[in-house]
Amino acid sequence: MDAAQDHVQVSGLRITAPAAGGQETPIVSDVDFTIPKGQVLALIGESGSGKTSIALALMGYARGDCRIAGGGVRVGDTEILTLDASQLRTVRGNRIAYVAQSAASSFNPSRTIMDQVVETAVGRGLLSRPAAEDKAVGLFRALALPQPEAIGERYVHQLSGGQLQRLMAAMALMTDPELVILDEPTTALDVTTQIDVLRAFKRVVRQQGATALYVSHDLAVVAQVADRIVVLQRGRVREAGDANQVLEKPADIYTRTLMAAARPPAQARPHRPAPQQAPPLLEVRGLTAGYGRVEAGVPKIPVLRDITLSIAKGTTLGVIGESGSGKSTLARVIAGLVAPAGGQVLFQGQPLAPTLSGRTREQFQRIQLVFQNADTALNPAHTVSRILSRPLSFYHGMDGRARDRRVADLLDLTQLPAGLADRRCGELSGGQKQRVNLARALAADPHLILCDEVTSALDTVVGAAILDLLAELRRELDLSYLFISHDISTVRAICDDIAVLYAGQKVEMGPRNGFGDAPFHPYTDLLIGSVPEMRQGWLEEKETAVAPPPLATAQDANLCRFLPRCAARVEGLCDRLPPPRIVLDGGNELLCHHDGQALQHLQRGRQSAINP
Amino acid sequence: MTPTVPLREESMAKPVSTAAGRVWHLLSGLSTSGQVGLALVVLWLVLGAAGPLLAPYDVGAFVSPEVFDGMSARHWLGSDYLGRDVLSRLLSGAQYTVGLALASALLASATGAGLALTATVSPRWVDEVISRFMDTLISIPSKVFALVLVAAFGSSLALLLLIAAATYTPGAFRIARALATNLNQMDYVQVAYARGEGRLYIATAEIMPNMIHPVLADFGLRFVFIVLLLSGLSFLGLGVQPPNADLGSLVRENISGLGDGALAILAPAVAIATLTIGVNLLIDALPGRGRRITGGR
Amino acid sequence: MAHGTPRNHGGIAAAGRLILRRLGSALLTLLLVSLVVFTISALLPGDAAEETLGQSATPEAVAALRHQMGLDQPAHLRYAHWLGGMIKGDPGQSLVANMPVGQVIAGRLPNSLTLAGLTAAVAIPLALAIGILSALYRDTGLDRALNLMTLGMVAVPEFLVATIAVLVFSVTLRWLPSITVVREGMGWAEMLRGYAMPVMTLACVTVAQMARMTRAAIIDQLNRPYVEMALLKGLSPARVVLVHVLPNAVAPIVNAMALSLSYLLGGAVIVETIFNYPGIASLMVNAVTSRDMPLLQACAMIFCVAYLLLMLAADVCAILANPRLRGQ
């Protein structure tokens, strides 16, 4: 093959989806780009940008009823779009390999991983089964998977998300493909896992000398892996160029919008209420909660252990943690949907009943819950106006014209057009739904809103607008928020205080300023250090975290929950005694055996990723 | 934030606002087989309602000298084993079959859905008691259950209606409960609980509107099962008793004409088949037919 | 977290515990079923003593017989007595046949099992083939044709199928006998001819049910991401369905089979009657007609036991087919 020629060339690509009345609507129009041999090109865009459709078109595949309507895709010397079904099969999984977004659902749950990894190579007769297994084990090792010889015999449900994502990469690389397509391969992972997976991908793809197409919505992640970047919006190319140029000097206004939204600036704090004698608005004391039978104050499946926190009137407490940390359960306990096994929740100094049946209507009214996914949080059978009217009549006994006026006010307050009132929520966009979701909470006239990952399901730009709205509402209505998120930059942008949860334990809490510079709790340190920065070379500069050796003994429930992953643990201390609560100079309260100085020493020289 | 490009977040689906508009939208989108099904269902509903008015002869009148006569201008569907007009008897039988099955299916679906909603929003023990009881009933195969009930209580029209309803309530309950339990976990229902709403409101305003479509489809299936059950019972002589006759009874009373291939026996059997196939075609053409997985009669 | 740690031994024990729990639940259900069946049949106006002696009997004679049969005892004692007899294999005396119910049923049960077995042997492979084929060729003409066919077969009453079969094969073609005779020492050819029509009629409905549920189970899997992944690995559609999808669809398919087979036992009522076949379904119809309650109760319990056994078998299959439950 001519070395000077680009390895992959996409020209005039058009993909259409069927629309009402037998028409077709374009979802990808006139997309051109090229990838030189051995380079990584990133396709960047929000949902509906057509990035995945383009990636799949490189394998001659269109999802569902979509259709590749025109244009050309050349990989090496092969015109992909002219191949018939059986020729395509010889290309897929062989010369071109695919790594899907969610490995957990992309592996077959009832076959072993090894069966699936070697399937194509053995089925095509490229390798014998033993040779293929040897090669797979080698790849497992190269991808830093634990127990590379044995891990292939497991099933999906026995492996973690990060492991599965790496196993899927191994599956893709089995046939030494010339082109690897990675479709949001780290999006479903926790941020602390993402960094290791990214590093493993980057190393192995480079070793193999493969050309790669990396699909993502996250510019900072892309900055770590891409040589070239193509920015897409609604199926069209907005900007294309060298990664360096696009990241440093974006030419297109849309690219700049994306970059601005990806890292929200800290909201100016309106006021810090003077320390009051009055009790805080919400106080959680020694809360333990979970599922299953409660024995000796501990549920069978504990989710939260001994959580204590408080929210003053007019302030925002951010709760951050990765999946499984118990942060959503915290909101449900406060709302009364899950009864705690131990501890107390006080609202305005009054203890709240553990279950719904013991609470007063006034208490219900003052605490409102807003869920992450507006698709499931709004009843599809009801109109917007009915959704907003219910709390008005339920709490305030409003009806008739007064209620209609208030509904119009609420729509206005959440910056929604008044004409939306008669629509059902299935007819609204994602951002509009989330605004209705918020408006419903506001209709109650609450003092405290529990926001559970309210921006996570939204595109960055839309999510940033919701954050702006939340800040504005707080200023106007003197609201308090419990803001739950997995994203530290979002939390730092809008919260006054931050609590960090790890596996149900509150490992650190303090004012936002305390999260600017070391020392932190070792987990907070890992969390902050794992957020990629939007510049090239960050991944390389980042020193490889040394994974601590596995624990010798089974973990005791009373010990530090972070122990198995903690690089700073002290043998003989951390694995024997429960960690004490210490208070740092900056005001942060930690659950750790180290003191501030020791942590400072351990984390010295490591700059925080983003200054608030 | 920097000034942004005007962002149209997503394209909005075209709203279909009125209820009549939605029904029209649904029906006009039916496949050909769905339209055939709809036509058959409407035909049988009309015949069931107006049957005796359309009948050319009295149901019990002996009008032909010939038994098991073939088609003729006077008797479109011939005569039966006693020389009565088959068409007239068929129209009268359709009234029993369609009317009984419709009432039974309504009762079964309404009871099943009502119990399912109750079980879903009630304390755990209520759910467990109801579910355990329904699980018990569902373990008795439907025909067997119906036979035991007929043996114990007899088979007057009212009893048949209740027996058929009782036989198919557990199945209706099981499907409705699965739907309601899923909906009960939805965030919007959880929000309603957290708002302090009562159980009645949650069951009727939040959960019920969202299960109406699958429950209606299930109602159609129950109707088919009940038509087949009642005709089967009548065919065995255990269902509708003379002098009344439903379509199954017509097949039974003319069984001696089988050797001659008489219309009197084929016509009612084919009538039942067109009715049940029509309902099935219609349900099958409705959107979201994956739910049919729980079929079985 | 359990992630990443193989749980071989704990897993097998867990699967065993799960199966035991299902067994326990099935036994409890059976007990409740017996209670329901007994309650319904004991609500009967009039009782076995009156039935046996007829209208002309003196009240004294009825009372004496009632005492002899234990019918004057309170309901819960009668239930306990009945249940005990049922467990010991002695469900009482048939009022009409005037012999032990056990004997009456023993003469019929093998016939019913033969009929069900033959039908299953025909229906299961056929249904699997139709279901897999139509899933494989989803939304093509073949799928639509098969769909219409199975839909029609599901909806048609058995007596129509049986009637048409008799018309075609017995009356017109004169190939097959219109009633099925069962006797000792039948030759294979004779047996085949005798069973052809009942088996065909029963298979019609069960094949259609099973095929539709098989198709639905497979199509439910076809929309999952792992299927797209398999296609993007360059596997052929046939391999995707047979190697990737089928193992995941085992549980719903086996469940559908069990449901349909349990229907075979109860649904044989009409087929056995039409073809005058001496099985327990027709026995049960006779019991209803003659209000022979002990016989009716016993027949009903046999059908329920069969249903629960089939469901239990399906559950065990589902547990063994699922690596998460099997605990590899």
Side-chain angles (χ1 to χ4, degrees), chain B residues 33 132-133 135-141 143-145 147-154 174 224 228 231-232 235-236 238 248 251 258-261 265-266 269-270 272-273 276-277 280-281 284 289-290 292-297, chain C residues 25 28-29 32-33 36-37 40 43-45 147-148 151-152 154-160 163-164 166-167 171 205 209 212-213 215-217 259 263 266-267 269-270 273-274 284-285 288-289 291 293 296 300 303-304 307-308:
Chain B
S33 61
R132 177 51 84 174
F133 183 61
D135 273 354
T136 304
L137 293 190
I138 223 166
S139 314
I140 311 176
K143 279 214 179 76
V144 173
F145 190 47
L147 285 178
V148 173
L149 288 171
V150 167
F153 302 111
R174 181 177 272 197
V224 169
L228 294 175
S231 328
F235 176 78
L236 295 172
L238 302 169
V251 179
L258 182 57
D260 307 330
I265 183 169
L266 274 181
V270 169
I272 297 171
T276 53
I277 289 176
N280 264 310
L281 282 175
D284 204 54
R289 59 189 195 188
R292 281 186 53 104
I293 196 164
T294 36
R297 60 194 204 198
Chain C
S25 168
L28 176 63
T29 307
L32 292 172
V33 163
V36 169
V37 167
I40 294 174
L43 283 175
L44 186 70
N147 184 37
L148 272 182
L151 190 131
V154 161
V156 163
E158 293 102 339
F159 53 76
L160 178 61
T163 319
I164 290 177
V166 170
L167 272 182
V171 178
V205 177
Q209 269 181 14
R212 290 178 75 76
M213 290 195 258
R215 176 183 182 275
L259 265 179
Y263 168 80
V269 170
I270 283 166
T273 307
I274 289 185
M284 184 164 172
V285 175
V288 175
T289 325
R291 312 244 291 178
M293 281 303 163
L296 180 71
F303 287 124
C304 297
Y307 172 88
L308 288 169

Side-chain angles (χ1 to χ4, degrees), chain C residues 129-152:
Chain C
I130 294 177
I132 294 174
L133 213 60
S134 52
L136 206 53
Y137 291 91
R138 174 162 59 145
D139 295 333
T140 63
L142 177 70
D143 177 31
R144 271 192 282 272
L146 287 174
N147 184 37
L148 272 182
M149 185 182 90
T150 54
L151 190 131

Side-chain angles (χ1 to χ4, degrees), chain A residues 56 59 61 63 89 92-93 98 105-111 116 119-120 124 154-155 157-159 171, chain C residues 3-7 225-226 228-229 231-237 239 243-244 247-248 323-324 326 328:
Chain A
L56 291 173
M59 308 182 82
Y61 182 87
R63 265 189 190 152
R89 281 204 290 277
R92 290 177 187 163
Y98 181 74
S105 56
S106 295
F107 273 117
N108 190 331
S110 59
R111 305 183 67 210
Q116 300 178 62
E119 188 171 15
T120 315
R124 293 265 162 71
R154 302 211 190 144
Y155 290 89
H157 69 277
Q158 298 166 320
L159 297 158
M171 179 159 85
Chain C
H3 283 311
T5 45
R7 295 174 294 173
Y226 76 83
E228 178 174 86
M229 187 67 225
L231 288 171
L232 291 175
K233 274 162 73 178
L235 304 181
S236 66
R239 186 176 164 91
V243 178
H244 280 266
N248 288 295
R324 194 184 281 263
R326 179 174 70 216
Q328 232 303 307

Side-chain angles (χ1 to χ4, degrees), chain C residues 86-257:
Chain C
M86 199 68 96
I87 292 168
K88 283 186 297 215
D90 171 28
Q93 192 78 6
S94 164
L95 304 179
V96 175
N98 209 7
M99 56 197 275
V101 168
Q103 273 182 34
V104 181
I105 286 177
R108 297 280 195 122
L109 190 57
N111 295 340
S112 273
L113 291 178
T114 311
L115 184 58
L118 281 175
T119 310
V122 172
I124 290 179
L126 203 59
L128 276 177
I130 294 177
I132 294 174
L133 213 60
S134 52
L136 206 53
Y137 291 91
R138 174 162 59 145
D139 295 333
T140 63
L142 177 70
D143 177 31
R144 271 192 282 272
L146 287 174
N147 184 37
L148 272 182
M149 185 182 90
T150 54
L151 190 131
M153 279 155 61
V154 161
V156 163
E158 293 102 339
F159 53 76
L160 178 61
V161 182
T163 319
I164 290 177
V166 170
L167 272 182
V168 174
F169 296 108
S170 296
V171 178
T172 312
L173 298 174
R174 297 185 182 282
W175 286 355
L176 301 170
S178 66
I179 59 169
T180 305
V181 185
V182 180
R183 50 181 180 78
E184 295 292 317
M186 279 166 75
W188 273 106
E190 195 184 348
M191 189 166 148
L192 218 58
R193 274 163 47 84
Y195 275 103
M197 277 199 292
V199 167
M200 193 160 55
T201 311
L202 275 177
C204 237
V205 177
T206 38
V207 163
Q209 269 181 14
M210 286 194 274
R212 290 178 75 76
M213 290 195 258
T214 302
R215 176 183 182 275
I218 292 177
I219 284 182
D220 177 51
Q221 292 288 325
L222 284 181
N223 297 324
R224 312 221 168 174
Y226 76 83
V227 171
E228 178 174 86
M229 187 67 225
L231 288 171
L232 291 175
K233 274 162 73 178
L235 304 181
S236 66
R239 186 176 164 91
V240 170
V241 168
L242 297 177
V243 178
H244 280 266
V245 168
L246 266 189
N248 288 295
V250 163
I253 290 177
V254 170
N255 193 46
M257 304 275 154

Side-chain angles (χ1 to χ4, degrees), chain A residues 166-205:
Chain A
R166 279 182 270 182
L167 288 165
M168 178 145 285
M171 179 159 85
L173 297 171
M174 275 300 290
T175 54
D176 299 324
E178 53 186 282
L179 173 63
V180 182
I181 296 169
L182 301 119
D183 186 2
E184 301 253 19
T186 64
T187 305
L189 302 178
D190 282 318
V191 65
T192 53
T193 317
Q194 167 174 278
I195 181 167
D196 296 333
V197 174
L198 266 185
R199 195 176 273 138
F201 280 2
K202 189 169 180 178
R203 190 177 59 241
V204 176
V205 169

